[in-house]
Amino acid sequence: MTNLAVVAHAADDLRIDDIGEPIPDADEAVVAVAYGGVCGSDLHYWRHGAAGASILREPLVLGHELSGTVVRAAADGSGPAVGTPVAVHPLTPRGDGVTPWPEERPNLAPVSTYLGSAMHLPHTQGGFAERVALPTRMLFPLPAGLDLRTAVLAEPAAVAWHAVGQAGDVAGRCVAVIGSGPIGLLAVAVALHHGAAEVIATDLHELPRSLAEARGARALDARDEAAIAELHADVVIESSGTVPGLASAIAAARRGGTVVLLGLQAAGGVTAPLATAITRELTLTGSFRFGGEFVDVVQALADGSLDVDGIVTHVVPAGDAVTAFATAADSSASSKVVLAFDGR
């Protein structure tokens, strides 16, 4: 039986390979993947052969945003039974025995692995395959009413949930989101879920702005510097990962406000208007992946209180992965692109 997977071999070398049947360890279940969300890091491996400091040195099965159904339960009896639909938490936190880190924040463990990552060698193979073996601790059974297509958003929604949480309680506050790609749109949804009084979203393109407005946010063109400077937002989520976005985030924050740095900036020095941040006494805080929020996100998706309707704009058969990746790279024409592995 074939087991087709989406594999990055080098920059501009994305293939559909038969990787063979997964051989699970005792604490692993085999999951038939239904959907896989294409993330920015997947696009970087495809386009550049690297995602930041994670450089391809061997073929890598991409993918860490996953939903599917257990088709073989773990031999040790742990985890969900055969037939259980699941969402996947792709992090394995690991310390190095030297670097201190707060153990209650597993996303900060210094040598963690993440599905579909080339950070370490051998690489941590991902889940863009018809069937994958995964540790049962990664598998979260879906509550009744949560379908597999919606559940594929659990991982990116958890990223957004963590970022909003980094600002503290946003209930009754004004929240601005700079950059309305998929994570930015999910940050808009989370801020509204958490009771923000007003949410303003910016982007260069009309489609993400319209999707933000459909959530109940006010949308601004990211090039409208004057309007952004007049926001005086209590909390700003910088989701673009760009130098202009960082400048806009600082400009949009009220005096004494908080800027959450969610979008991953380029390595090394980055130009930013720090004098403004200093004189306004802004709090700048980072946000990296997520930890225990995954459970809350799955429940919020299940009960519908987290509005993600319309964020997935394209569902593409996994066999057309190159087309799907090209679509995902065009932020003017798509929001979230999802691969379908089960023929849906």
Side-chain angles (χ1 to χ4, degrees):
M1 182 184 296
T2 59
N3 184 25
L4 300 181
V6 180
V7 183
H9 287 257
D12 293 321
D13 187 0
L14 190 70
R15 308 180 196 176
I16 306 299
D17 292 340
D18 183 358
I19 61 172
E21 283 301 303
I23 302 174
D25 292 335
D27 65 343
E28 293 182 329
V30 176
V31 174
V33 176
Y35 297 102
V38 179
C39 176
S41 63
D42 299 316
L43 296 177
H44 280 295
Y45 287 126
W46 165 56
R47 285 174 143 182
H48 311 299
S54 301
I55 300 170
L56 283 177
R57 289 160 285 176
E58 63 183 14
L60 175 66
V61 178
L62 298 176
H64 56 265
E65 302 176 9
L66 307 167
S67 65
T69 302
V70 175
V71 292
R72 179 176 173 183
D76 67 0
S78 65
V82 170
T84 303
V86 295
V88 177
H89 188 319
L91 174 69
T92 298
R94 289 177 181 160
D96 60 8
V98 176
T99 307
W101 58 283
E103 294 192 11
E104 72 278 7
R105 297 161 72 180
N107 56 310
L108 299 183
V111 290
S112 296
T113 60
Y114 215 72
L115 295 180
S117 171
M119 175 63 72
H120 304 289
L121 190 66
H123 297 339
T124 306
Q125 299 298 317
F128 281 176
E130 292 175 308
R131 291 172 300 285
V132 293
L134 297 171
T136 56
R137 57 179 167 72
M138 289 186 174
L139 306 181
F140 288 71
L142 303 188
L146 180 55
D147 62 273
L148 288 164
R149 174 173 162 168
T150 302
V152 77
L153 292 175
E155 193 275 350
V159 171
W161 193 289
H162 181 74
V164 174
Q166 289 293 87
D169 186 3
V170 300
R173 306 179 79 187
C174 174
V175 177
V177 177
I178 306 298
S180 298
I183 297 293
L185 289 172
L186 289 166
V188 168
V190 171
L192 291 168
H193 174 276
H194 287 9
E198 182 183 18
V199 178
I200 305 98
T202 76
D203 203 88
L204 294 170
H205 302 294
E206 173 59 31
L207 174 62
R209 292 199 300 267
S210 67
L211 290 171
E213 289 176 335
R215 320 247 78 68
R218 177 160 65 96
L220 293 175
D221 191 309
R223 291 159 290 207
D224 193 341
E225 295 180 5
I228 291 169
E230 293 172 358
L231 291 178
H232 304 292
D234 300 299
V235 172
V236 184
I237 311 292
E238 201 303 294
S239 183
S240 73
T242 66
V243 171
L246 178 56
S248 292
I250 291 174
R254 69 165 177 84
R255 293 172 181 268
T258 297
V259 176
V260 179
L261 307 176
L262 171 58
L264 188 60
Q265 296 284 338
V270 173
T271 302
L274 291 184
T276 301
I278 292 167
T279 58
R280 292 186 185 179
E281 289 194 356
L282 301 181
T283 298
L284 274 59
T285 183
S287 183
F288 183 61
R289 295 177 177 165
F290 56 91
E293 298 94 342
F294 200 78
V295 174
D296 294 331
V297 169
V298 169
Q299 186 55 54
L301 289 172
D303 64 27
S305 60
L306 183 61
D307 176 18
V308 297
D309 186 52
I311 290 178
V312 173
T313 53
H314 296 75
V315 177
V316 181
D320 295 331
V322 174
T323 298
F325 275 47
T327 300
D330 184 357
S331 56
S332 68
S334 68
S335 174
K336 190 66 178 176
V337 175
V338 169
L339 298 176
F341 288 86
D342 59 359
R344 302 186 190 199

PDB file of all heavy atoms in Angstrom, residues 134-157:
ATOM      1  N   LEU A 134       2.270   8.954  15.378  1.00  0.00           N
ATOM      2  CA  LEU A 134       2.460  10.097  16.260  1.00  0.00           C
ATOM      3  C   LEU A 134       2.330   9.675  17.715  1.00  0.00           C
ATOM      4  O   LEU A 134       1.490   8.825  18.040  1.00  0.00           O
ATOM      5  CB  LEU A 134       1.408  11.184  15.963  1.00  0.00           C
ATOM      6  CG  LEU A 134       1.471  11.808  14.570  1.00  0.00           C
ATOM      7  CD1 LEU A 134       0.245  12.687  14.337  1.00  0.00           C
ATOM      8  CD2 LEU A 134       2.753  12.616  14.401  1.00  0.00           C
ATOM      9  N   PRO A 135       3.144  10.263  18.601  1.00  0.00           N
ATOM     10  CA  PRO A 135       2.986   9.968  20.033  1.00  0.00           C
ATOM     11  C   PRO A 135       1.569  10.304  20.490  1.00  0.00           C
ATOM     12  O   PRO A 135       1.009  11.341  20.097  1.00  0.00           O
ATOM     13  CB  PRO A 135       4.013  10.886  20.691  1.00  0.00           C
ATOM     14  CG  PRO A 135       5.001  11.202  19.615  1.00  0.00           C
ATOM     15  CD  PRO A 135       4.229  11.224  18.338  1.00  0.00           C
ATOM     16  N   THR A 136       0.998   9.470  21.317  1.00  0.00           N
ATOM     17  CA  THR A 136      -0.384   9.691  21.732  1.00  0.00           C
ATOM     18  C   THR A 136      -0.555  10.978  22.529  1.00  0.00           C
ATOM     19  O   THR A 136      -1.652  11.547  22.545  1.00  0.00           O
ATOM     20  CB  THR A 136      -0.899   8.501  22.549  1.00  0.00           C
ATOM     21  OG1 THR A 136      -0.027   8.268  23.668  1.00  0.00           O
ATOM     22  CG2 THR A 136      -0.951   7.240  21.691  1.00  0.00           C
ATOM     23  N   ARG A 137       0.518  11.467  23.170  1.00  0.00           N
ATOM     24  CA  ARG A 137       0.386  12.723  23.911  1.00  0.00           C
ATOM     25  C   ARG A 137       0.119  13.893  22.983  1.00  0.00           C
ATOM     26  O   ARG A 137      -0.344  14.956  23.418  1.00  0.00           O
ATOM     27  CB  ARG A 137       1.660  13.005  24.718  1.00  0.00           C
ATOM     28  CG  ARG A 137       2.901  13.053  23.877  1.00  0.00           C
ATOM     29  CD  ARG A 137       4.170  13.361  24.659  1.00  0.00           C
ATOM     30  NE  ARG A 137       5.341  13.096  23.847  1.00  0.00           N
ATOM     31  CZ  ARG A 137       5.729  13.838  22.823  1.00  0.00           C
ATOM     32  NH1 ARG A 137       5.012  14.907  22.484  1.00  0.00           N
ATOM     33  NH2 ARG A 137       6.806  13.528  22.128  1.00  0.00           N
ATOM     34  N   MET A 138       0.388  13.740  21.680  1.00  0.00           N
ATOM     35  CA  MET A 138       0.107  14.800  20.710  1.00  0.00           C
ATOM     36  C   MET A 138      -1.342  14.803  20.239  1.00  0.00           C
ATOM     37  O   MET A 138      -1.765  15.761  19.586  1.00  0.00           O
ATOM     38  CB  MET A 138       0.997  14.643  19.473  1.00  0.00           C
ATOM     39  CG  MET A 138       2.457  14.951  19.665  1.00  0.00           C
ATOM     40  SD  MET A 138       3.315  14.884  18.057  1.00  0.00           S
ATOM     41  CE  MET A 138       4.955  15.457  18.532  1.00  0.00           C
ATOM     42  N   LEU A 139      -2.093  13.764  20.540  1.00  0.00           N
ATOM     43  CA  LEU A 139      -3.406  13.567  19.927  1.00  0.00           C
ATOM     44  C   LEU A 139      -4.519  14.018  20.868  1.00  0.00           C
ATOM     45  O   LEU A 139      -4.627  13.529  22.001  1.00  0.00           O
ATOM     46  CB  LEU A 139      -3.594  12.098  19.549  1.00  0.00           C
ATOM     47  CG  LEU A 139      -2.487  11.495  18.671  1.00  0.00           C
ATOM     48  CD1 LEU A 139      -2.798  10.050  18.350  1.00  0.00           C
ATOM     49  CD2 LEU A 139      -2.295  12.316  17.394  1.00  0.00           C
ATOM     50  N   PHE A 140      -5.361  14.911  20.393  1.00  0.00           N
ATOM     51  CA  PHE A 140      -6.453  15.459  21.180  1.00  0.00           C
ATOM     52  C   PHE A 140      -7.777  15.089  20.510  1.00  0.00           C
ATOM     53  O   PHE A 140      -8.095  15.598  19.423  1.00  0.00           O
ATOM     54  CB  PHE A 140      -6.320  16.977  21.300  1.00  0.00           C
ATOM     55  CG  PHE A 140      -5.199  17.401  22.216  1.00  0.00           C
ATOM     56  CD1 PHE A 140      -3.869  17.243  21.834  1.00  0.00           C
ATOM     57  CD2 PHE A 140      -5.466  17.928  23.461  1.00  0.00           C
ATOM     58  CE1 PHE A 140      -2.833  17.617  22.670  1.00  0.00           C
ATOM     59  CE2 PHE A 140      -4.443  18.309  24.321  1.00  0.00           C
ATOM     60  CZ  PHE A 140      -3.121  18.148  23.929  1.00  0.00           C
ATOM     61  N   PRO A 141      -8.543  14.183  21.134  1.00  0.00           N
ATOM     62  CA  PRO A 141      -9.832  13.800  20.546  1.00  0.00           C
ATOM     63  C   PRO A 141     -10.739  15.005  20.346  1.00  0.00           C
ATOM     64  O   PRO A 141     -10.787  15.920  21.187  1.00  0.00           O
ATOM     65  CB  PRO A 141     -10.412  12.835  21.586  1.00  0.00           C
ATOM     66  CG  PRO A 141      -9.215  12.276  22.294  1.00  0.00           C
ATOM     67  CD  PRO A 141      -8.242  13.418  22.359  1.00  0.00           C
ATOM     68  N   LEU A 142     -11.448  15.016  19.235  1.00  0.00           N
ATOM     69  CA  LEU A 142     -12.320  16.137  18.927  1.00  0.00           C
ATOM     70  C   LEU A 142     -13.641  16.002  19.665  1.00  0.00           C
ATOM     71  O   LEU A 142     -14.265  14.937  19.640  1.00  0.00           O
ATOM     72  CB  LEU A 142     -12.588  16.203  17.427  1.00  0.00           C
ATOM     73  CG  LEU A 142     -11.359  16.312  16.517  1.00  0.00           C
ATOM     74  CD1 LEU A 142     -11.819  16.555  15.078  1.00  0.00           C
ATOM     75  CD2 LEU A 142     -10.413  17.405  16.974  1.00  0.00           C
ATOM     76  N   PRO A 143     -14.088  17.068  20.306  1.00  0.00           N
ATOM     77  CA  PRO A 143     -15.413  17.040  20.924  1.00  0.00           C
ATOM     78  C   PRO A 143     -16.497  16.877  19.863  1.00  0.00           C
ATOM     79  O   PRO A 143     -16.287  17.184  18.687  1.00  0.00           O
ATOM     80  CB  PRO A 143     -15.522  18.406  21.620  1.00  0.00           C
ATOM     81  CG  PRO A 143     -14.114  18.915  21.713  1.00  0.00           C
ATOM     82  CD  PRO A 143     -13.397  18.339  20.533  1.00  0.00           C
ATOM     83  N   ALA A 144     -17.660  16.430  20.284  1.00  0.00           N
ATOM     84  CA  ALA A 144     -18.785  16.301  19.364  1.00  0.00           C
ATOM     85  C   ALA A 144     -19.075  17.645  18.712  1.00  0.00           C
ATOM     86  O   ALA A 144     -19.058  18.690  19.368  1.00  0.00           O
ATOM     87  CB  ALA A 144     -20.014  15.806  20.121  1.00  0.00           C
ATOM     88  N   GLY A 145     -19.308  17.620  17.426  1.00  0.00           N
ATOM     89  CA  GLY A 145     -19.640  18.836  16.704  1.00  0.00           C
ATOM     90  C   GLY A 145     -18.471  19.513  16.039  1.00  0.00           C
ATOM     91  O   GLY A 145     -18.662  20.458  15.267  1.00  0.00           O
ATOM     92  N   LEU A 146     -17.243  19.073  16.332  1.00  0.00           N
ATOM     93  CA  LEU A 146     -16.067  19.667  15.703  1.00  0.00           C
ATOM     94  C   LEU A 146     -15.610  18.776  14.561  1.00  0.00           C
ATOM     95  O   LEU A 146     -15.149  17.650  14.772  1.00  0.00           O
ATOM     96  CB  LEU A 146     -14.945  19.859  16.721  1.00  0.00           C
ATOM     97  CG  LEU A 146     -13.633  20.470  16.186  1.00  0.00           C
ATOM     98  CD1 LEU A 146     -13.888  21.794  15.481  1.00  0.00           C
ATOM     99  CD2 LEU A 146     -12.626  20.640  17.317  1.00  0.00           C
ATOM    100  N   ASP A 147     -15.732  19.267  13.339  1.00  0.00           N
ATOM    101  CA  ASP A 147     -15.362  18.474  12.176  1.00  0.00           C
ATOM    102  C   ASP A 147     -13.865  18.580  11.906  1.00  0.00           C
ATOM    103  O   ASP A 147     -13.185  19.500  12.374  1.00  0.00           O
ATOM    104  CB  ASP A 147     -16.154  18.928  10.947  1.00  0.00           C
ATOM    105  CG  ASP A 147     -15.858  20.374  10.573  1.00  0.00           C
ATOM    106  OD1 ASP A 147     -16.535  21.281  11.123  1.00  0.00           O
ATOM    107  OD2 ASP A 147     -14.949  20.615   9.773  1.00  0.00           O
ATOM    108  N   LEU A 148     -13.357  17.647  11.131  1.00  0.00           N
ATOM    109  CA  LEU A 148     -11.918  17.571  10.877  1.00  0.00           C
ATOM    110  C   LEU A 148     -11.397  18.777  10.105  1.00  0.00           C
ATOM    111  O   LEU A 148     -10.274  19.227  10.336  1.00  0.00           O
ATOM    112  CB  LEU A 148     -11.591  16.285  10.123  1.00  0.00           C
ATOM    113  CG  LEU A 148     -11.697  15.000  10.944  1.00  0.00           C
ATOM    114  CD1 LEU A 148     -11.731  13.780  10.023  1.00  0.00           C
ATOM    115  CD2 LEU A 148     -10.531  14.896  11.913  1.00  0.00           C
ATOM    116  N   ARG A 149     -12.195  19.324   9.205  1.00  0.00           N
ATOM    117  CA  ARG A 149     -11.727  20.486   8.440  1.00  0.00           C
ATOM    118  C   ARG A 149     -11.537  21.694   9.356  1.00  0.00           C
ATOM    119  O   ARG A 149     -10.550  22.418   9.229  1.00  0.00           O
ATOM    120  CB  ARG A 149     -12.708  20.807   7.316  1.00  0.00           C
ATOM    121  CG  ARG A 149     -12.353  22.085   6.586  1.00  0.00           C
ATOM    122  CD  ARG A 149     -13.197  22.330   5.373  1.00  0.00           C
ATOM    123  NE  ARG A 149     -13.113  23.728   4.960  1.00  0.00           N
ATOM    124  CZ  ARG A 149     -13.552  24.184   3.803  1.00  0.00           C
ATOM    125  NH1 ARG A 149     -14.078  23.368   2.921  1.00  0.00           N
ATOM    126  NH2 ARG A 149     -13.473  25.465   3.516  1.00  0.00           N
ATOM    127  N   THR A 150     -12.463  21.931  10.260  1.00  0.00           N
ATOM    128  CA  THR A 150     -12.307  23.048  11.194  1.00  0.00           C
ATOM    129  C   THR A 150     -11.174  22.767  12.173  1.00  0.00           C
ATOM    130  O   THR A 150     -10.395  23.671  12.522  1.00  0.00           O
ATOM    131  CB  THR A 150     -13.611  23.290  11.966  1.00  0.00           C
ATOM    132  OG1 THR A 150     -14.673  23.548  11.034  1.00  0.00           O
ATOM    133  CG2 THR A 150     -13.486  24.471  12.913  1.00  0.00           C
ATOM    134  N   ALA A 151     -11.048  21.514  12.601  1.00  0.00           N
ATOM    135  CA  ALA A 151     -10.038  21.157  13.598  1.00  0.00           C
ATOM    136  C   ALA A 151      -8.624  21.372  13.107  1.00  0.00           C
ATOM    137  O   ALA A 151      -7.700  21.520  13.919  1.00  0.00           O
ATOM    138  CB  ALA A 151     -10.222  19.701  14.022  1.00  0.00           C
ATOM    139  N   VAL A 152      -8.416  21.412  11.782  1.00  0.00           N
ATOM    140  CA  VAL A 152      -7.059  21.636  11.277  1.00  0.00           C
ATOM    141  C   VAL A 152      -6.559  23.029  11.664  1.00  0.00           C
ATOM    142  O   VAL A 152      -5.349  23.290  11.654  1.00  0.00           O
ATOM    143  CB  VAL A 152      -7.008  21.434   9.751  1.00  0.00           C
ATOM    144  CG1 VAL A 152      -7.582  22.631   9.008  1.00  0.00           C
ATOM    145  CG2 VAL A 152      -5.584  21.145   9.278  1.00  0.00           C
ATOM    146  N   LEU A 153      -7.461  23.919  12.051  1.00  0.00           N
ATOM    147  CA  LEU A 153      -7.072  25.264  12.483  1.00  0.00           C
ATOM    148  C   LEU A 153      -6.675  25.314  13.955  1.00  0.00           C
ATOM    149  O   LEU A 153      -6.289  26.395  14.441  1.00  0.00           O
ATOM    150  CB  LEU A 153      -8.217  26.244  12.241  1.00  0.00           C
ATOM    151  CG  LEU A 153      -8.549  26.539  10.774  1.00  0.00           C
ATOM    152  CD1 LEU A 153      -9.779  27.438  10.680  1.00  0.00           C
ATOM    153  CD2 LEU A 153      -7.365  27.180  10.071  1.00  0.00           C
ATOM    154  N   ALA A 154      -6.746  24.204  14.672  1.00  0.00           N
ATOM    155  CA  ALA A 154      -6.449  24.236  16.105  1.00  0.00           C
ATOM    156  C   ALA A 154      -5.030  24.717  16.379  1.00  0.00           C
ATOM    157  O   ALA A 154      -4.804  25.531  17.287  1.00  0.00           O
ATOM    158  CB  ALA A 154      -6.674  22.857  16.726  1.00  0.00           C
ATOM    159  N   GLU A 155      -4.051  24.242  15.602  1.00  0.00           N
ATOM    160  CA  GLU A 155      -2.666  24.645  15.870  1.00  0.00           C
ATOM    161  C   GLU A 155      -2.438  26.133  15.605  1.00  0.00           C
ATOM    162  O   GLU A 155      -1.935  26.852  16.489  1.00  0.00           O
ATOM    163  CB  GLU A 155      -1.700  23.774  15.048  1.00  0.00           C
ATOM    164  CG  GLU A 155      -0.235  23.899  15.471  1.00  0.00           C
ATOM    165  CD  GLU A 155       0.510  25.056  14.830  1.00  0.00           C
ATOM    166  OE1 GLU A 155      -0.047  25.679  13.891  1.00  0.00           O
ATOM    167  OE2 GLU A 155       1.641  25.350  15.263  1.00  0.00           O
ATOM    168  N   PRO A 156      -2.782  26.667  14.429  1.00  0.00           N
ATOM    169  CA  PRO A 156      -2.568  28.104  14.252  1.00  0.00           C
ATOM    170  C   PRO A 156      -3.436  28.959  15.171  1.00  0.00           C
ATOM    171  O   PRO A 156      -3.015  30.038  15.599  1.00  0.00           O
ATOM    172  CB  PRO A 156      -2.902  28.338  12.773  1.00  0.00           C
ATOM    173  CG  PRO A 156      -3.749  27.177  12.374  1.00  0.00           C
ATOM    174  CD  PRO A 156      -3.264  26.026  13.185  1.00  0.00           C
ATOM    175  N   ALA A 157      -4.640  28.481  15.493  1.00  0.00           N
ATOM    176  CA  ALA A 157      -5.477  29.230  16.431  1.00  0.00           C
ATOM    177  C   ALA A 157      -4.852  29.258  17.819  1.00  0.00           C
ATOM    178  O   ALA A 157      -4.967  30.256  18.543  1.00  0.00           O
ATOM    179  CB  ALA A 157      -6.874  28.628  16.489  1.00  0.00           C
TER     180      ALA A 157
END
